[in-house]
Each structure stands twice: as structure tokens, then as C-alpha cells.
Amino acid sequence: MSARVMSPVLVGRSAELGDLDEALAAAPGAVLVGGEAGLGKTRLIREFARAVEAPADGTPRGRLLVGGCLELGSDGLPFAPFTTVLRGLVRDIGIDGVAELLPRGDTRGLARLLPEFGEPESDTPSGEERARLFELVLTLLERLAERQPLVLVIEDAHWADRSTRDLLAFLIRNVIATPLLIVVTYRVDELHRTHPLRPLLAELGRSDKVRRVELARLSRSEVAELAARILGTEPQPQLVDKIHARSEGNPLFIEALLDSDGTLASEIPESLRDLLLAGVQRLPEETQDVLRDASGGGTRIEHALLAAVSGLDDATLTRVLRPAVAANVLVVDGDGYAFRHALIREALHDDLLPGEHTRLHTRYAQALENSPGLVPAGRLWIELSHHWNAAHDATWALVSSSRAAGDAHKALAYAESLGMLSRVLELWERVPDAAERIGADHTDVLEDAAIAADLAGEYEIGIKLATAALREVEESGGPNTRRAALLELRGRMRHEMARPGFVEDLREAVRCLPPEPTVIRARTLATLAQYVRLTTDTHEARSAAIESLEIARALGDVTAEADALITLFCVDIDYDEDEAVLTEADEVALRSGSHRVLLRLAVIKSHFLEGSGRHEEAIEVARRGMEQAKDFGVARTKGTFLGINLAEPLVSLGRWDEAFTVLDQSLEQDPAITIRTSLLVLLGEVAAARGDLATAEAWLDASMAVKDLTMEWLKTQDYFATLRLKARLRIAAGRYEEALEAVRPVIPTTGLPDDSRYTWPVMVLGATACAALGDQAVIDGAPALPQIEARAAGLKVLGPAQEAHRLTFLAEVSRARGVNDRVAWDAAAAAWDKLGQRYSLATTLTRAGEAAILDGDRDGAAVRLRRAANLAEQLQAGPLSSQIDDLCRRARLSRTVGPGTAPPSSGPPLGLTPRELEVLRLVADGQSNREIAEVLFISAKTASVHVSNILTKLDVASRGEAAATAHRLALFPTPRP
């Protein structure tokens, strides 16, 4: 018998190896390597590993960490490749070595992935703890990469469990400023239309830092080269033709077809299965029997487990398997074995007869029950669930699935926990004493599954599960407290899905509870207040928040008290009077020490400051909140929401390039539908201001799609903002009637939270459209301007930002009535100038300049227009620059400074670009290049380049001198208290 052979070198993959080399040189980033089964993805990674860790020149270029997804992953084995990576890292550098790479040297945050790291930080798994786990894994990898370039390889992602996919996506989205390359391999022929990996690949593929590499089949010349490498001599052309035709260029099949003596290994098989099994069938019968046993354990199996399942002692098992290793059917992998290719295992397993299949998996389950230590800690119950289910033993499959769900929940793998609980529900009717066996009734399992679905973000399934649990509670006359908890859970999930009925669920939850002050009543009232404030019933929201606050204080629950105070503040924000309430909430939140509450407060506080026109303070609070999120270990998950509140004041101040970076980073986190609109509108408005109307329209379309989903409950911040962007774009395109159509829904829609903050800008745009259309401006067949004025007359003016909008509105209304009032425009410009909103200042100065031209004040017009032009140039606001140029040309005014004309009051200080000014601001604050990179979401190398440019332009020798120059020239005034 001739042994099966494989090529000593990789053939036909030089381009792909080059792609991986380039990606490593350009790291951070990711490479997605796809290909059909057998095309050599694993071999490509092995060759790349050799080139990185053991190159010909003897100087390693980096380090590889490799973890593979297990086929069992579809049954719920969570984080399998990452557990493998961590276990290998512990073997390499020890637990203490890993601890040195983690914040405060605390490894407990990784304990849910690998028990060797100790006890988890908390006994109660939560979304926040899962976020910290993700952050910790990224921190570990980044710090390893700081020592030397690092490649993390996740193989066979087509088998990845949901938790692995989530963590993988998080890492790829968030890796910055360190030489970390993430390589993911997957089988393209496994990705059917509904495969869960498909949307992730599509999403990641849109990122600039992600490359796609698709392995192709070998050409005939490459088949000839591969055959020559295998045989050690040039093959006959006729042999090459046969192999190329039959293998279709698949390297695995070529190796299976060739024998070392230069002949075909067997008659040409009729099917792929026959081809894969041909090498197995040439082995001794006893070896084939053990390989069939091994096929039930996955692509890799421990020697001890295979010995237990086969019933052979160590020596006999080693002797029996030696021919399989020699024939390259199996490879030795640590203390176990792996099939040369997963397809071989699949073919063997699929070849089992039904009875053989059942008996094999029963033997696996019995072996594991007799000796749980045969599999790594954390895998026992999931493995048992898989094997008992494959053995068609409903009772023990149900019991082990229930236990596996608990293990997955503790490991923060909520999607896998949901999968196991779903299996329990599927098997329930087949196990008469199911409740006694697992210590929980059917309703308990439904409720646990609904909670797991909520934590996993599977809200559609969660709503159905909660509804089924509610039905059973009502039919059995269960306690009202349980019904209230389920109603609250379903209400929150309906809100996340932007589904109607979420407020009704929360109202019914409160009605279910007795009036006595209890923790659950305080929590349910707080949730009701938080969500009902999104409707027009602010009175109900305020009443619920007040009662929740009273109960929390009576019970001494500081966390509930802080939540209630924040919600009460949010019910109807007064940007003039409410700071005292916010200060009280701040104090209580600090006393609570709750990370969740502190981050929620940072979101609300930065929102308030931005609405008050205190943009610099809003930026500071948002950044401080992001630092808190970093300290809490959730910077790149929960901190994303604060990124939105950081971007908005950056946009207001005209720091658009910084805002773009923050917005892009936030969008990459795939934010919830309930907050995504804010990002899309900000991106659209800046794109429009810079003249990129096509991109702005794309952002509008995405925002409109979200709005259509949320029409049942109108969130002012989303609904009015989307209509504002639509009106702005229609005005930019000269389609003023359509702009009024966008304004129309805002006129009758009153009473929503924060109405005046989000309505004033829309009314300004409505007046602008009326000014352009004159008597033709109509809404619903009636003159538009009186309708718009009536809506504005009913608005409050809360804070200086709303006052600036009101003044702009009055000036625009005068223009619509045929009077271009320079005094009104100057008043509006002065209000925007005081707030530091450069774009609004530039637009109102342009209108004031136009009014001055009409008044015959050419010098006054020149001063206003030159300043506006300078601002527009700084902002790269092309359309506004063109408008100013047109005015100057028609009025025969020069945009340059002339005799007797004041110089522009705003210009790029010392020749620095806006980005260099931001870097200098951080240098003046004492930040290092790495800290600057983290704040601005750039690489440390890019930050270093900016600092070098700044030193050159300032003609200084050090960062200290640059900071001193900034302070001496007062380039960055301290925000007012």
C-alpha cells in the first residue's frame, strides 16, 4: 500500500501570501480568507506562520495565535477559538505573564473563557460584564502586539458560534494604533443564503481596514507543478490532464488522487465522498474502525477520550492509529489528533449507518459522564447535549441542554444559552417528567429563554418567548410580580425593535404590582418613565419618575434613586433652569458607584450641555465619560453612545474632520436602531454643508429607513432631525416645494419631549424655503409662512442655542416677507458667534452681508462677507463659499483685505490645519502621542507626524515649547463654568 502524500511546498498561492504580508506590514487590520473546502486555507496560514515566526533570515517578524472554530459550535460551544488561543498563551507565558498584560494585573475578567484565570468578577452575568470581557480580550491582544507584531488567526469561521462572531466583529472594528492583524478563514461553499456568517462578512468587508482574499482553484500549470512537487519528478502530461479534470484544481483532491509512485491512487472515484474515503479504505480494518469512532468527536479529539470511546488501551490505540498518521489521514495535535481535513471526518461520519450513528454518540456521552475530565472545563454539558441529542435520547439531551444553558449564561454567551434553552423547549413534550428532572417548569424555561434573548439582542425571538410565558402565567394564575417582570421585559424588547405596544406593556406591568413600596415597583416605574417620556404624555412620565424616586429614597436604594432622578430630569428638559436637578443627580450617581448609572449620567449631561450651547463643556463631559467607560472596561461598547454625544458638539463648533472620525467609529459599532438616526443625520448635514449632496442623500435614505420603522413612536431627536436633513438637502438642490413638504409633518406634531430644541431648526428651514418661493409657498393648499409662524409662536426658548435659532428664524421670516433686515441678521450672527458655532455664524454673516449690499453699505458688506468667506474656507464648506463668491462678484466686492477694512477675525492660527490645532490642544494638555491617538481615533504614528509638523510650523524644539506657545497665545480658551 502506498502512503498518501502531500506537497512539501505551497503551490499557486504566492499572491495570497503576498496579500497577507502586505496586511501585516499595514496592521492594524484584518484579512478575510475564503475558499472552497480543500483549496488550502489552513496550508496557507501554516506557510504564513512560518514566514512570520521562522523566516529564512532567522529574524521573526511577529507572533501568531491560532484558534479554530469547532463544528460543535452550531450547538452552542461559546468562544471556542478564543479559549484555545488563551490556553496556548498560558502554556507559553503562564498565567502571571498574561496578568502582566492586563489592567491592574487582574485576570478574573477572562475567567469565563478559561477557568484557570480564577473566579469571575461577578456572580451575576450581565451585558456590562460581557462588554468588559470583550474590552479585556482586545486590551490583551493590543499589549501583546506592542511587544511585537501579532497575528490572530480564527480558522473555520463558518462554524463559529454567535458569541465568537460577536467578539470577532468587536475586535476587527476596534483595533487601532497597534500592529495587530486578524485573519479569518472560512469555507465559501458552506455559506448558504441564510448562513449567519454572511451578514458579518458583508459588514466587515465595507471597512477600509479589512481585506478580502478569495482562494481560487489551481490552473492546469499549477496542478502540474503541485504533482511534480508531490512526486519529486515531472508527471506525464496525460496524468496531469486526468488529475486536473477530475480534481478541478482542488489541492486536497489532487493529493488524494496521487500516489507516491506516480500513478493514480485508485480508480477514479465516482463521487467526492468516494474520493475522500479512498485513502481511509486502504488502511487496516481496525484503523478504519477507530477513525469512524474519532469522526463522532469533531475535527480534533483528545487521545484519552478516543481511548475511552473505542475501548482500547493507550498502547493499542497508538498502534492502531499509526497507519492513519503515516497516511496523512490524521495528524498529531498536542495530546490528541486532528483529521487532515474536516471533509474527511465529515465523509466518515456521514458514512455511518443510522444504528452506528446512535451507538457511537451514546458511547461518547457515556464516556463523558463517567469521566468528565476528558474534555476541558466548561465544555462538558454542551458536549453531552450534542451527543445525547445525536443519539436521539430526548431525556438526557434535555437535562444536559438545561445544564449547558446555565454554563453558557455564566460564560456571557447569551446566544448559545438561548440555543440550549430552545432545545429544552423542543424536547419538552418528549420527556413526561421534564420539570422534575431539571427543577424548573415550562414557564421558567420560557422566561429564562426570553431573558437570554434580550441579553443576546435577539429581540424578535425574545418577544415571542415572553409572550408565551405571559400566556402560561395568566392561564395558571401565577403571581402578579412575575407577570409584571415579564411585561417589563417584553416592553423593553419591543422598544429596542421600535415596535408598538412597548408603553402599554410597561403601564400594565405597573398596574399588576401592589401599591406598597418595593424594589420591583420602583424599577418598573423608572422603566415606564424612561420610555413613556418618548411619547407626548410627559405628565405620566413625570408622575412615574416621582413615585419611583420616592420609593427608592424610602428603601434607601441609591442606584434606583439616581436612575429616577436622571429620568425625571429627562422628562422635559429646561436648558435655562434644570442644571440644579442635574447636579443633584450627579451627586447621587457618584454615591451609587454604579458604572451603568454613571455612564447614563454622562450621556444625559453632555446632551444637556450641547442643547444649552455649551459645546466645549459638552465635549469635555463626553470625553470624560468615555474615559470612565475605558476605566470600567466598556470603552468600545457602552462608550459608543458617548461618542455620539461627542460628535454633536464637534459638528456645532465646525470641527468636522474630528466629528467624522468619531461618527465613523460609532457607526462601526452597529449601534441600536433607537440611536442610529442621530449619527446618520450628523453625517448627512456635514456632507451637505461641504457640497457632497450624493453622500448626504445616502445618509438621508438610511435615516429615513430607520424613521419608517419608528413611526409608531416618534422620538423628536430622530424624527424631526431626519426631516430637518431632508429639508436642508431639498433647499440645497433648489427644490423648495419639497423642502416645505419635509417641514409639513413637524407643524401639527406638538408636545413631544425636547420639542423646542428640535423644532426651531426645522422652522428656520421652512422660512428659508418660503423666502425662495414667495407667494408660491404653500402647505396643504394654504400659505405656508403663517402656518410656520404659528408653530414657532408656540415654542419655548430654552437656553442661548434656542435663542440663536429664534433670532435666525425672525430674520428669515423678514426676508420671506420681502425685507432683508440687516439688524436682524446681525443679531443672529452675534448669537451664533457667542456660541462658537462657526457654520451658523458664516451663514448668518452671509445673509447680513447681502442685506448690507441692499442697504448700500458696501464697506459693511465687505467686512461681513470676508469674515464669512474665511470661515467657510476653514470649514471647507464649498456651497457657502460659492454663494459668497457670487455675492461678491455681483456687488463687485473683493474677498481680500483692502485699505480701511478690518482683517478677518477668524483664520488658521500660525498656519496650522484644523487637525493640527486639535493635536496641539491635546499636547498643551500634556497628552502623549498614544493618548492623542486614542482620543482622536488615529494611529500613534499619525499623531507623531502631526506633532512634528506642529513643531516645525511653530519653530520650536519640543512639545513643552509648543504647549507654552499655545498657552501664551491663548489659542484654547478655558470653557466658562
Side-chain angles (χ1 to χ4, degrees), residues 174 213 277 300 371 529 532-533 607 681 736 747 765 822 844 877 887 889 898 932 934:
N174 288 283
V213 172
L277 293 178
R300 186 190 183 283
S371 302
V532 82
R533 74 178 182 83
H607 174 83
V681 169
Y736 300 105
I747 294 174
L765 293 169
R822 177 171 43 161
T844 48
L887 273 174
R889 184 176 59 257
I932 291 170
E934 290 180 354

Side-chain angles (χ1 to χ4, degrees), residues 10 35 239 246 275 550 568 583 626 689 693 748 771 844:
L10 186 64
L239 180 62
R246 190 66 186 121
L275 172 62
E550 290 171 349
L568 185 60
T583 300
M626 293 174 81
L693 297 186
T844 48

